[in-house]
Amino acid sequence: MSRVLVGVKRVIDYAVKIRVKPDKSGVVTDGVKHSMNPFDEIAVEEAVRMKEKKLASEVIAVSCGPAQSQETLRTALAMGADRAIHVEVAGAEYETMQPIHVAKILAKLSKDEKADIVIVGKQAIDDDSNQTAQMTAALLDWPQGTFASKVEKTDAGLTVTREIDGGLETIKTKVPVVISADLRLNEPRYATLPNIMKAKKKPLKKLTAKDLGVDLAPRIKVINVEDPPKAKKKPLKKLTAKDLGVDLAPRIKVISVEDPPVRQAGSIVPDVDTLVAKLKEGGHV
Amino acid sequence: MRNQLVSQIIKHTIVSRAHLTPEMALRLLTPQCSLWSAPPEENPFKDPYWAFYWPGGQASARYILDNKHLVKGRVVVDVGCGCGASAIAAAMGNARRAVANDIDPVAILASQLNAQLNGVAIDTSSEDLVGTVCSCDLVVVGDMLYDEEFADRLFSWLTRLARDGKLVLIGDPGRDGLTGERRSQLSLMRSYPLPKNICEENHGYTDANVWRLKAD
């Protein structure tokens, strides 16, 4: 049976209205509601279903980020993951962390934990990079099934249905493999009270990128973050009737305005014969 | 205080037989109850472990009901009893004395309510028994190995009890505390597939086992 590693990212909640910081260095995150990246919820759900179908023996959730990422990991544990690993990355290092760094961390952990399947969301809704699955597969030299909308076990590995432009592509891969979850893969379950209670006690290991030998030196520099451009105003010319030389002097006088008459209720007849008889009686036919 | 707690328990739970021991009615917090999907901070009870019939507890109670000869005429202690199911099962199996033990006083109340519901008499104790000399014949532990730290403490105590000649039964769906090393000290007595609703309520678990701690 396989061991599954799932990557989960803590992002600004999808329902929050995003505000850009006045100095344009990024977006406002302080005091803003965060939750698990929705595509990662789908990834966790798929991993837990694999465990419930006895295709997986263990599900390990991993998150790279500040201390609060542990809340996201607890959600993954309440959804049914068995244990969690928090790779703490905070402050300036977190701001410049990129998919390449996360991929290196996931690749190293996959080896350390002897994982057979890595599942991540296809992209995070904050930076929209869509690179982590692909880079992790490349670093491990494993096959990849990205944008998965269906994953099935077959004899030698997995059959993955992929959402591609204009249709669905079905591929077969061997295990080990990296999968990225698309929107239609499943509907994630909610964390309920008994599962939240037991999740509080599930093991959560803390590591740093350094422990894993991953260098977090920035590879890019953010120059500027701006609000999206506002829609351009279409021309709307204002005129008066006078400009057009039209005299608006009244030509009619309103005497009264009333509701339309209320329609009388009809009657229901039991069959066609009665209907015909009634119509004849009323002189309609 | 007691009456207030009792009415709170009754308000927030329903009587359920939809579990591995349908011959037993239990007041439980189920998906039909509003607190089921409410955030934990809105719950009037702090960590209401007694409000759920955990898969491991279902397996140990089922096993007792299927093997009543093990409890008949014996003194049985259900450690960490929660809703009291294993103690009630022992009482149904004509144990000389069935004791529901839990350090949460609300669990003791819930166990008493549940015993009443099933027309059996149980004794209760809210003492922390772990580490003490326990005068009994049989110790039942249902789903208590979910916390690694506590599992250490509990398991070394149980090992001592088994060495002293007591029968120690552990119901467990595969929690973290049941490490490979510990499993080598156990004999598997029975494995129960969980009913569909119980699987859906317990994310990631499909079976629950009953283990017996070896005496040596």
Side-chain angles (χ1 to χ4, degrees):
Chain A
M1 271 205 287
S2 312
R3 181 171 288 126
V4 186
L5 196 84
V6 199
V8 295
K9 185 178 185 184
R10 175 179 177 267
V11 298
I12 294 180
D13 188 85
Y14 71 94
V16 169
K17 183 161 174 9
I18 304 293
R19 282 184 302 129
V20 173
K21 285 184 193 164
D23 67 359
K24 305 205 168 186
S25 64
V27 300
V28 177
T29 55
D30 286 349
V32 170
K33 187 188 176 200
H34 283 66
S35 47
M36 190 191 298
N37 176 39
F39 291 109
D40 297 345
E41 286 186 338
I42 298 171
V44 174
E45 176 66 35
E46 196 62 19
V48 175
R49 287 187 191 186
M50 282 180 176
K51 193 192 167 200
E52 288 169 344
K53 284 186 222 152
K54 300 188 197 287
L55 302 176
S57 56
E58 190 181 30
V59 177
I60 308 165
V62 179
S63 191
C64 310
Q68 298 95 313
S69 301
Q70 290 188 13
E71 293 160 21
T72 307
L73 286 169
R74 290 289 170 205
T75 304
L77 293 170
M79 288 176 71
D82 297 288
R83 58 192 173 94
I85 300 172
H86 175 214
V87 181
E88 186 156 20
V89 182
E93 260 186 341
Y94 184 61
E95 299 204 344
T96 55
M97 187 170 71
Q98 287 274 294
I100 181 67
H101 303 122
V102 178
K104 282 181 178 175
I105 289 168
L106 291 180
K108 178 69 168 58
L109 283 172
S110 300
K111 283 184 188 155
D112 292 355
E113 299 290 343
K114 298 186 176 63
D116 310 281
I117 301 175
V118 174
I119 313 181
V120 293
K122 70 165 178 176
Q123 70 194 71
I125 61 167
D126 53 359
D127 58 21
D128 277 343
S129 293
N130 178 357
Q131 296 165 4
T132 302
Q134 295 86 333
M135 286 179 171
T136 306
L139 290 167
L140 287 164
D141 196 17
W142 290 2
Q144 56 184 295
T146 48
F147 314 112
S149 64
K150 196 176 186 186
V151 178
E152 287 168 302
K153 171 95 180 96
T154 42
D155 309 334
L158 299 177
T159 299
V160 180
T161 306
R162 305 181 58 239
E163 301 218 3
I164 57 167
D165 281 351
L168 298 171
E169 179 187 62
T170 306
I171 58 165
K172 255 181 157 170
T173 81
K174 287 188 176 152
V175 170
V177 63
V178 178
I179 306 280
S180 82
D182 213 322
L183 189 65
R184 291 170 194 83
L185 182 57
N186 57 50
E187 267 190 52
R189 68 194 72 189
Y190 292 103
T192 56
L193 182 61
N195 293 293
I196 293 168
M197 282 166 60
K198 291 263 153 152
K200 278 198 265 182
K201 305 285 187 180
K202 286 185 181 178
L204 191 154
K205 187 162 76 176
K206 261 174 81 171
L207 293 173
T208 62
K210 211 173 144 198
D211 295 334
L212 298 168
V214 175
D215 180 10
L216 291 179
R219 299 193 158 209
I220 55 155
K221 189 167 178 262
V222 175
I223 309 288
N224 193 18
V225 176
E226 285 191 47
D227 278 315
K230 293 213 167 74
K232 267 195 194 149
K233 280 193 175 164
K234 299 242 169 96
L236 193 156
K237 197 157 85 180
K238 263 175 134 176
L239 290 171
T240 63
K242 207 175 154 194
D243 296 336
L244 298 167
V246 177
D247 180 9
L248 289 182
R251 298 185 155 222
I252 55 162
K253 190 170 178 254
V254 177
I255 310 291
S256 123
V257 177
E258 284 184 42
D259 279 322
V262 179
R263 196 174 162 264
Q264 294 275 304
S267 62
I268 292 172
V269 293
D271 51 40
V272 175
D273 292 340
T274 324
L275 174 69
V276 172
K278 275 221 159 194
L279 288 172
K280 278 187 177 151
E281 193 183 305
H284 303 293
V285 286
Chain B
M1 182 66 189
R2 186 183 190 278
N3 289 345
Q4 230 174 357
L5 273 173
V6 167
S7 58
Q8 283 273 59
I9 292 173
I10 291 171
K11 182 180 166 196
H12 289 293
T13 56
I14 61 166
V15 175
S16 168
R17 290 181 185 269
H19 42 70
L20 267 183
T21 56
E23 58 268 67
M24 194 187 291
L26 294 170
R27 286 209 158 273
L28 299 170
L29 206 164
T30 71
Q32 287 80 47
C33 304
S34 63
L35 289 182
W36 179 266
S37 43
E41 52 276 16
E42 283 173 23
N43 200 300
F45 304 106
K46 191 182 175 290
D47 294 338
Y49 284 98
W50 55 266
F52 306 100
Y53 196 9
W54 303 98
Q58 297 195 23
S60 55
R62 181 72 263 156
Y63 188 73
I64 291 171
L65 291 171
D66 289 345
N67 299 275
K68 289 183 175 161
H69 64 277
L70 291 176
V71 296
K72 191 176 174 193
R74 306 270 168 83
V75 176
V76 180
V77 180
D78 179 1
V79 177
C81 65
C83 63
S86 292
I88 293 166
M92 285 174 155
N94 296 318
R96 182 153 61 87
R97 202 173 152 224
V99 184
N101 166 254
D102 203 301
I103 54 166
D104 180 356
V106 189
I108 298 296
L109 274 183
S111 298
Q112 284 164 344
L113 284 178
N114 285 329
Q116 254 174 38
L117 211 54
N118 293 283
V120 294
I122 57 165
D123 290 346
T124 56
S125 120
S126 57
E127 189 192 345
D128 186 355
L129 289 181
V130 180
T132 65
V133 184
C134 182
S135 49
C136 62
D137 304 305
L138 201 159
V139 175
V140 192
V141 175
D143 222 321
M144 289 283 280
L145 298 170
Y146 54 89
D147 176 347
E148 271 183 312
E149 261 173 55
F150 180 64
D152 279 345
R153 227 182 115 215
L154 181 67
F155 211 83
S156 54
W157 178 60
L158 292 175
T159 310
R160 236 178 23 219
L161 294 180
R163 273 196 209 122
D164 290 350
K166 300 183 201 314
L167 177 61
V168 177
L169 293 176
I170 298 173
D172 184 88
R175 304 270 181 208
D176 307 292
L178 202 64
T179 54
E181 193 201 327
R182 289 191 181 129
R183 216 165 291 170
S184 68
Q185 291 176 252
L186 304 170
S187 329
L188 179 64
M189 307 309 286
R190 188 68 202 270
S191 180
Y192 295 101
L194 297 170
K196 192 165 165 279
N197 64 312
I198 303 300
C199 290
E200 285 167 2
E201 291 166 21
N202 294 275
H203 299 160
Y205 297 100
T206 50
D207 306 87
N209 298 321
V210 178
W211 304 87
R212 178 187 177 154
L213 196 53
K214 292 176 193 166
D216 41 32

